[in-house]
Structure formats: structure tokens, C-alpha cells
Amino acid sequence: MSAVIQDLGRVHFIGLGGAGMSAVARVLLGRSVAVSGSDAADSRGLQALAALGATVHVGHEGANVGAADTVVVSSAIRETNPELVEAKTRGLRVLHRSEALAAAMDGRKVVAVAGTHGKTTTTAMITVMLQAAGTRPSFAIGGDVAALGVNAEWAEGEVFVAEADESDGSFLNYRPHVGVVTNVEADHLDHYGSAAAVYESFDRFAALLPADAGVLVACRDDDGAAALAARIAGSRRVRTYGYCAGADVRISNTRALGSTSNSVLSFSIDGLDSQQELQLGVPGRHNVLNAAAAFSVGLELGVDPAAAAAGLASFSGAARRFEAKGEAGGVRVFDDYAHHPTEVAAALGAARTVAGDHRVHVLFQPHLFSRTQEFAKEFAGALSLADTVRVLDIYAAREDPVEGVTSRLISDRLTVPGGYAPDADEALREMVITAQSGDIILTVGAGDVTRFGPLLVDLLAGKGHPQ
């Protein structure tokens, strides 16, 4: 039986500083729940939660659990964590963060955004759009959004917008009224074991929608999402979006210039065929699709189409999604969280648009040994859309090394200059020497590669040296 917020009591988070965990904590604090938590290192995120009233600890030890009634963990927390050991010894309720968020969302109309790629940006777009329309949504997003200022908030409106993470199957803990699926591809095979299991999990996600009033919003352009929509159409209402003919919200006439684009959305509302111009300030075809998904949700929630488009026009991006890090010597540096071949290709497509006739240089950090082993060829193909690529060592995250699996599985397949870069400092120096005015440098990956963006800007300005 799912937990309800009245049962949680005092809640302690193990790994409170993480994006997903801090989002749930913010929502619970907004609902006047007593929150405590710990993380391995201090951070601005921890300090911000402390300012909101949370009791925070740096470092992990059993005593941190204190008087908690419920302990919240993510899939990254190991069984040997002393706080988790303490919680289980005392027989406390232990919830995955998705279960805690499901309890926190209780009583609201839930919009859950799922998909192999684009979840964070699409969730953020929906939230910004609804705020601009004056509906005061609550939200929980797995990344910071400049236009929102925070990654989560409990607000007075009736809608709750949540990013629904499929990586560990935890998106099945939600009970959405509107389910968004941006795409469905084989990923996170370390958890699922097979592509078929990934697809089956999305079927189960769609089946969570109420049969009488729920709706699935799915991308018609993506084979996996379109197939899901076709399978679920007999039992749930479906609204599709995309460039494909037959999409319920159809995109056409996209014109891109630098980081901006203009498109036309065609749709039916109250039985009448309508059109709406869509202007975006974030680059890439994938972002036009993400915005169309958000627009489709707006239609479902009764937002005026012009108001929805105006809200989306104000969207300035999510953290680590083609995020500008600075410019020096005429070279612009961006950072992107892409960690799957499809995401890498989308990021490079956006970079190409922004760079125009100039070159694109990539510093890529593979994320997970399992993902590198599974998609090495596809990563190399996507990365080869750049002009030069340097591939750092694999960021292990939650995994132990796998014999024979190294970044060379990707770098040896590249068809552009660059290659394997075991020394990050040297890679940065090479990129700065190679880049010319008008070029773009893009740091890519889900690990700590993001820290190199500011260093590159300093190096380009002749002010700093790699640390």
C-alpha cells in the first residue's frame, strides 16, 4: 500500500544534496513536514534546504537519523550506508524517493513526464508554461531551471508536475492523471536487462493512467513512444505530438537561427482546427519537440493556446541542458548532460545550429561501464558529428569497473580528430589551442565533466590553468 503524507512523520533523507532527493525534500518542507538529511559533502543545495528549515548533516553516520519516523533513499544508496543500517535496525519505514514524492503529491492532479531523453527539459517547460498562465503548479524536477530559481516547490494550484525517472523503474510508483512519454529507447540495461523489459515498463506506466479520465501525451516522431501510444490507445485516451503527419499537435515550418527557432503548431480544440506560432529561445529540434509536448499538456489542462505559447517563449533552459558557461576569445563554451547516443546527437545538432559555419569541439565523459559497453559504436557515431572530440575516462557512478571496458571502445571508433584523453588537463589545453573565434566547445556527459566548462572559459581568456 502506498504511503500517504500523514503517515510519514519526521522524514530523513540519505543523500539529501542530490537533485532528485532535494526536490522531494523541498516539497515536503512546503507541506510543513519535519525534514532532516545528510550528504557526503556540503553544498549550496544543502545550505538552501537548511535555510528552509531542514536539519542537515555533512557525512554519513547512524546518529544522523535522529528521531526520524521515515527514511528516504535513492537507488544510489548502498545497503552498507550506516544511516540505512540504523534505519533498518530500528525498524523505521524506508521509502525510495519516488515513493516519498508520490506521498507528497497526494491530492493534486499529477502530470508525470517520462521518457528515455528530455524529461527534465520537458518537465521544466510545462512548469514555466503553467506558471506564466497563472495556474500556480507545484513541481519537482531533476535539475535546476533558471526561470524557476529552484528545482521543486509546493504551490497553491491544483496541478503537480513531476519528472518521472524510468532508470530504476521508480516511475511506476506515481499515479498520474496526465502521462507524458517523450521517447522510449533501450537504456539503463544494467537495471532492466533487456530492451523488451524497458518497453514493458513504459506499458505499465501508461496503464497507471485512470481509464476514464487519464491521457497519454506521446511523441509521434519517436518509434518507441508511437508504438506505446498505439498499444495503449484501446484502453486510454492518447494525444500525440510531432512533425509526423497524423500527430494531434503537428509541428511544421520550423525556422532556426542561432539559439532561437520559430515553428507553427497545428491542432484541434473544441472541434475546430487551429494554429499557433511557437517561438523558442533554446536551440535544437529536440527542444521544439519538448515544447510541443508541453503545449499538448497545456491543451489538456485547459490553458489558452496563445498563453501556452507565450509561456514557452519565456523558457531559457534547464541546468546542464546546452547550458552556456561563458565566452572568451570569441569561443563559446556550453555544457550538456547528454549520456545516451540519442541525447549526444541531439546536443550536437543544437551545437551545429548555434555554431553556424564555425566548428564544434567536444569533451565527452562516458557515464557507466555498462552503458559504454552497450552503446560504444552508437556513441562514436553521434560524437563524430563534431569537428573534434576528446573522450575522457569513464565516470563509474554507481558501478564497479568491468574488465576490458574503457573509453577506447568509443574513441577508437571516432571518424574525426581527437581521440582518447586520459589526461584531462592536456585535453583542455589542446581544445583551447584548437578552437578559433566563432567556434563552440561543448562539454558532454552525466558525470563531473561539467566542472571543466568554467576552466575552459578561463583558459580561453588566458587567465587560468587546469586544476
Side-chain angles (χ1 to χ4, degrees), residues 345-364:
L348 283 171
R352 281 286 179 207
T353 301
V354 174
D357 295 332
H358 298 281
R359 295 183 300 168
V360 175
H361 311 281
V362 172
L363 182 67
F364 177 64

Side-chain angles (χ1 to χ4, degrees), residues 351-425:
R352 281 286 179 207
T353 301
V354 174
D357 295 332
H358 298 281
R359 295 183 300 168
V360 175
H361 311 281
V362 172
L363 182 67
F364 177 64
Q365 182 187 54
H367 185 259
L368 300 180
F369 292 96
S370 59
R371 186 179 284 126
T372 302
Q373 185 175 34
E374 184 72 27
F375 298 115
K377 180 180 178 181
E378 291 81 0
F379 273 123
L383 288 166
S384 293
L385 297 171
D387 293 283
T388 70
V389 178
R390 286 158 183 83
V391 184
L392 300 174
D393 285 322
I394 296 169
Y395 187 83
R398 58 186 177 270
E399 292 185 338
D400 295 321
V402 177
E403 186 176 354
V405 178
T406 74
S407 294
R408 286 194 177 278
L409 291 178
I410 297 172
S411 61
D412 288 352
R413 290 182 165 98
L414 293 172
T415 60
V416 295
Y420 175 52
D423 185 330
D425 291 356

Side-chain angles (χ1 to χ4, degrees), residues 49-265:
L49 289 169
L52 292 174
T55 300
V56 304
H57 306 274
V58 177
H60 295 297
E61 54 182 87
N64 292 343
V65 176
D69 304 291
T70 299
V71 171
V72 179
V73 299
S74 70
S75 298
I77 302 302
R78 296 182 182 247
E79 290 292 323
T80 54
N81 182 285
E83 294 172 29
L84 182 55
V85 171
E86 173 72 8
K88 290 187 174 181
T89 300
R90 289 165 50 183
L92 302 180
R93 178 190 291 109
V94 177
L95 298 179
H96 186 274
R97 65 176 170 83
S98 61
E99 296 174 302
L101 181 57
M105 293 189 291
D106 185 46
R108 295 292 168 90
K109 179 180 286 188
V110 175
V111 178
V113 182
T116 318
H117 328 293
K119 292 184 293 293
T120 299
T121 298
T122 303
T123 308
M125 284 180 167
I126 294 170
T127 303
V128 169
M129 174 192 71
L130 293 177
Q131 282 191 344
T135 64
R136 296 297 307 276
S138 299
F139 60 93
I141 305 172
D144 291 330
V145 181
L148 299 172
V150 291
N151 62 341
E153 182 181 49
W154 178 257
E156 61 193 35
E158 68 170 6
V159 176
F160 197 115
V161 188
E163 180 175 345
D165 182 12
E166 87 290 348
S167 66
D168 54 5
S170 61
F171 70 152
L172 300 179
N173 289 322
Y174 303 131
R175 295 296 178 266
H177 298 79
V178 179
V180 180
V181 174
T182 56
N183 35 59
V184 183
E185 286 191 61
D187 195 10
H188 308 295
L189 299 184
D190 56 321
H191 172 77
Y192 287 102
S194 68
V198 176
Y199 302 139
E200 192 270 338
S201 73
F202 276 91
D203 284 358
R204 292 171 62 194
F205 173 75
L208 295 172
L209 295 163
D212 54 346
V215 61
L216 175 69
V217 175
C219 182
R220 183 73 178 259
D221 290 12
D222 178 76
D223 291 343
L228 170 64
R231 290 194 300 270
I232 205 74
S235 60
R236 301 293 188 280
R237 192 162 61 84
V238 174
R239 184 190 288 269
T240 60
Y241 65 90
Y243 286 91
C244 288
D248 296 315
V249 174
R250 185 166 182 244
I251 311 163
S252 62
N253 300 328
T254 296
R255 303 177 306 283
L257 178 62
S259 295
T260 66
S261 69
N262 279 61
S263 303
V264 174
L265 302 181

